[in-house]
Amino acid sequence: MIPKIIQGDNFSDHRGTISYVNDFSFAAIERFYIISNSEENPIRAWQGHKLDFKNFYCLSGAFKIHFVKIDNWENPSKYLPVETISVSAEDGKIVYIPAGYANAIQSLEKGSKLISFSTLPLAKVSDDDVRYDSDYWKVNG
């Protein structure tokens, strides 16, 4: 599988706004996190997942989600191409990243919040997460 965007939308009227992503299924979701990067460290990088599928949705502000397809978990190439998808609270999309990738989350605005839906039960996380130095792959700010 490859990373993809699951497009949602917003509806507004005199009562307010509803944001939705009707084509997203929660069937495989085990847990979720809300991420707010600090102003001093706007990039949270790099975390790889051998088994877990990640789904990111921007609750407020804006983010860049950087990701690389891992070629070797113990010693990945430092020259893997970094792909990037931008998300904001206004665009109503979920970024789906399948297992086999490492990602970096970069906040673009103060107070930005991102929700991450994970497919792996918490009991199996220690077998899945692989961390790399924050500068292992370069991202464009």
Side-chain angles (χ1 to χ4, degrees), residues 17-38:
T17 301
I18 295 174
S19 300
Y20 57 90
V21 184
N22 289 339
D23 293 331
F24 180 69
S25 172
F26 283 89
I29 303 303
E30 290 282 336
R31 55 199 165 78
F32 73 91
Y33 299 95
I34 297 175
I35 301 165
S36 299
N37 291 342
S38 69

Side-chain angles (χ1 to χ4, degrees), residues 4-101:
K4 65 180 180 178
I5 294 172
I6 305 167
Q7 190 60 54
D9 206 350
N10 299 300
F11 173 78
S12 296
D13 65 13
H14 67 282
R15 299 168 292 176
T17 301
I18 295 174
S19 300
Y20 57 90
V21 184
N22 289 339
D23 293 331
F24 180 69
S25 172
F26 283 89
I29 303 303
E30 290 282 336
R31 55 199 165 78
F32 73 91
Y33 299 95
I34 297 175
I35 301 165
S36 299
N37 291 342
S38 69
E39 287 184 58
E40 299 79 27
N41 296 296
I43 298 179
R44 182 183 301 262
W46 284 93
Q47 185 172 355
H49 301 281
K50 298 176 185 178
L51 307 170
D52 198 2
F53 292 54
K54 293 292 182 181
N55 299 276
F56 298 106
Y57 181 80
C58 185
L59 296 171
S60 62
F63 287 85
K64 285 185 180 178
I65 301 170
H66 309 282
F67 51 94
V68 295
K69 174 77 171 137
I70 300 298
D71 60 348
N72 177 314
W73 288 103
E74 289 75 36
N75 187 26
S77 170
K78 289 188 176 237
Y79 303 103
L80 296 174
V82 176
E83 298 182 64
T84 301
I85 296 175
S86 295
V87 296
S88 72
E90 288 78 37
D91 64 19
K93 63 186 171 190
I94 290 178
V95 176
Y96 163 82
I97 308 221
Y101 285 79

Side-chain angles (χ1 to χ4, degrees), residues 82-140:
V82 176
E83 298 182 64
T84 301
I85 296 175
S86 295
V87 296
S88 72
E90 288 78 37
D91 64 19
K93 63 186 171 190
I94 290 178
V95 176
Y96 163 82
I97 308 221
Y101 285 79
N103 63 67
I105 308 303
Q106 179 180 7
S107 50
L108 301 176
E109 299 174 8
K110 181 179 179 181
S112 294
K113 290 187 178 189
L114 188 74
I115 190 165
S116 171
F117 298 103
S118 298
T119 60
L120 196 65
L122 192 56
K124 295 185 179 183
V125 167
S126 62
D127 298 332
D128 180 59
D129 283 354
V130 180
R131 308 274 174 135
Y132 302 100
D133 290 339
S134 61
D135 62 350
Y136 199 89
W137 295 281
K138 303 293 183 217
V139 300
N140 296 324

